[in-house]
Amino acid sequence: MTTTLSTSTHWPTEALPKKWIDDLFDRMLMTFGKRFSDQWQGTDPQKLKEFWGTRMATLTSVEMRSGVEAMLKLKWPPTLNEFIELCRPSLDMTVAYYEAVNGMEARRKGEKGEWSHPAIFWAASKMTHDLLNQTYSNIKTRWENALSKELQKNGWPDIPAVMEALPAPGKTETDKERASRELENLNASGILKKQPGLAWAKKIMARKANGETLPAISVNWAQEAIKELA
């Protein structure tokens, strides 16, 4: 078998671009040589390429590049299903959850976060509050449904840059500024001297005032404890 296409000019409109498939088959031939040609001996090259192009129609150019890079590490040429798996590896929902939590915590610090797949980011962006404030067991079903829904899409927008935190509508200060003000009031009032048991709350408010990203529930507990014991 060679990678030369037949003289037919037909190419399925629903398939990946013809050039992508031509380049892929050329790369496989150059990488695996006779192992590749023997694998498809007796198969019509044109029909084979059309079949691959149609079956891989939902893959993006980024996924194709990832698949080719992974393929170069193999000893034997992949089948169609094996190559699709190289392009779009099955995601472990639990691993993806912890990636989402870490990524969203990073974004609250002004960092982009590390995202192995854009679907994880877009699923996480729809439930950021719950990811950062609830346990995995509490939102496991919702998370898996959200991520599965994202993975069914054919493509995803680029992950946006992190925007600088601004006061919410109707507010005149950010959470960091509010924490700094509350900490100053706490020190000025002498509450901590009267209530040594509030030292833990002061530490939380101080960390928040310094810009550290903390679970909202921890900050709320600290604020409530200060109000109750003041």
Side-chain angles (χ1 to χ4, degrees):
M1 171 187 165
T2 67
T3 58
T4 303
L5 287 175
S6 67
T7 57
S8 172
T9 58
H10 169 74
W11 186 256
T13 57
E14 69 276 14
L16 286 177
K18 177 175 174 292
K19 185 179 186 306
W20 290 17
I21 303 302
D22 286 343
D23 290 346
L24 172 61
F25 273 56
D26 286 342
R27 184 69 65 87
M28 288 194 287
L29 180 61
M30 294 299 100
T31 301
F32 302 108
K34 192 172 184 295
R35 291 178 178 178
F36 174 69
S37 57
D38 286 350
Q39 183 176 18
W40 302 109
Q41 187 174 9
T43 303
D44 181 272
Q46 174 72 10
K47 291 182 179 179
L48 180 63
K49 290 184 177 183
E50 290 178 2
F51 183 70
W52 277 55
T54 302
R55 285 290 306 277
M56 298 192 299
T58 62
L59 295 179
T60 66
S61 59
V62 173
E63 290 174 325
M64 283 286 289
R65 285 196 295 270
S66 297
V68 170
E69 291 177 3
M71 179 191 72
L72 296 178
K73 301 176 183 178
L74 302 179
K75 294 182 179 180
W76 292 88
T79 63
L80 171 59
N81 289 337
E82 288 171 344
F83 183 73
I84 292 176
E85 178 68 18
L86 293 176
C87 295
R88 188 179 288 172
S90 299
L91 291 178
D92 184 300
M93 292 293 183
T94 304
V95 173
Y97 162 79
Y98 287 106
E99 177 181 317
V101 171
N102 291 333
M104 284 303 172
E105 287 181 342
R107 292 181 74 82
R108 291 183 64 177
K109 297 177 183 178
E111 304 167 1
K112 184 176 182 180
E114 296 184 6
W115 305 95
S116 62
H117 196 290
I120 298 177
F121 169 79
W122 290 110
S125 66
K126 295 178 174 64
M127 49 188 304
T128 302
H129 177 78
D130 289 342
L131 283 171
L132 298 179
N133 293 281
Q134 296 191 37
T135 63
Y136 181 52
S137 59
N138 287 338
I139 62 172
K140 180 177 183 293
T141 300
R142 286 183 54 214
W143 166 249
E144 291 180 352
N145 289 339
L147 183 54
S148 295
K149 186 176 181 179
E150 281 295 328
L151 289 171
Q152 292 173 4
K153 297 181 179 180
N154 293 337
W156 303 267
D158 292 336
I159 296 175
V162 181
M163 301 296 291
E164 182 178 356
L166 297 174
K171 292 185 177 181
T172 59
E173 58 186 357
T174 64
D175 288 341
K176 178 179 177 180
E177 292 168 339
R178 178 188 175 192
S180 296
R181 175 176 55 77
E182 291 181 348
L183 185 60
E184 290 176 1
N185 293 338
L186 187 61
N187 289 327
S189 66
I191 291 176
L192 288 175
K193 293 182 179 179
K194 300 175 184 177
Q195 300 287 352
L198 286 178
W200 65 271
K202 178 184 178 181
K203 291 181 180 179
I204 289 178
M205 298 303 294
R207 290 166 62 190
K208 183 69 175 178
N210 288 332
E212 183 176 346
T213 300
L214 298 171
I217 193 170
S218 298
V219 177
N220 290 339
W221 282 345
Q223 292 171 335
E224 291 175 2
I226 292 169
K227 290 179 181 179
E228 290 178 1
L229 297 178

